[in-house]
Amino acid sequence: MELILGLISGAVGGNVAGGLLKNLNQGTLINSIAGIAGGGLGGTILSMLGAGGVANAAGGLDIGSILAQMATGGVGGGVLLAIVGVIRNMIAK
């Protein structure tokens, strides 16, 4: 369940980042795909670093865990979209 929340919030984060950073916007489909990948990777990396362990200590689906997954998914999605946008803009030049 937590992975699904991270993936969904990653897609939202990717599209929000694309809307805010017009020069990195890749369109809704690419924004969503990059966001989903970033949301999954962001949650996984933070869990390995120990940041996800704090939220998961209470059993998994408390409000803190849900908000942590949504935050890490959204940030991860936005960051990965920014990376993809910069790379695609460099290739296009």
Side-chain angles (χ1 to χ4, degrees):
M1 180 71 174
E2 292 174 354
L3 178 62
I4 293 171
L5 288 173
L7 297 176
I8 292 171
S9 61
V12 171
N15 282 301
V16 167
L20 294 175
L21 306 169
K22 297 293 184 192
N23 60 332
L24 300 178
N25 189 1
Q26 303 298 313
T28 305
L29 181 63
I30 301 294
N31 290 351
S32 297
I33 292 171
I36 289 169
L41 289 174
T44 302
I45 290 171
L46 287 178
S47 292
M48 285 194 279
L49 293 175
V54 173
N56 293 332
L61 284 180
D62 60 346
I63 190 70
S65 176
I66 292 171
L67 291 176
Q69 281 300 118
M70 291 176 71
T72 58
V75 169
V79 168
L80 190 61
L81 173 71
I83 292 169
V84 167
V86 167
I87 291 171
R88 288 189 66 173
N89 287 343
M90 287 173 51
I91 291 172
K93 288 183 179 182

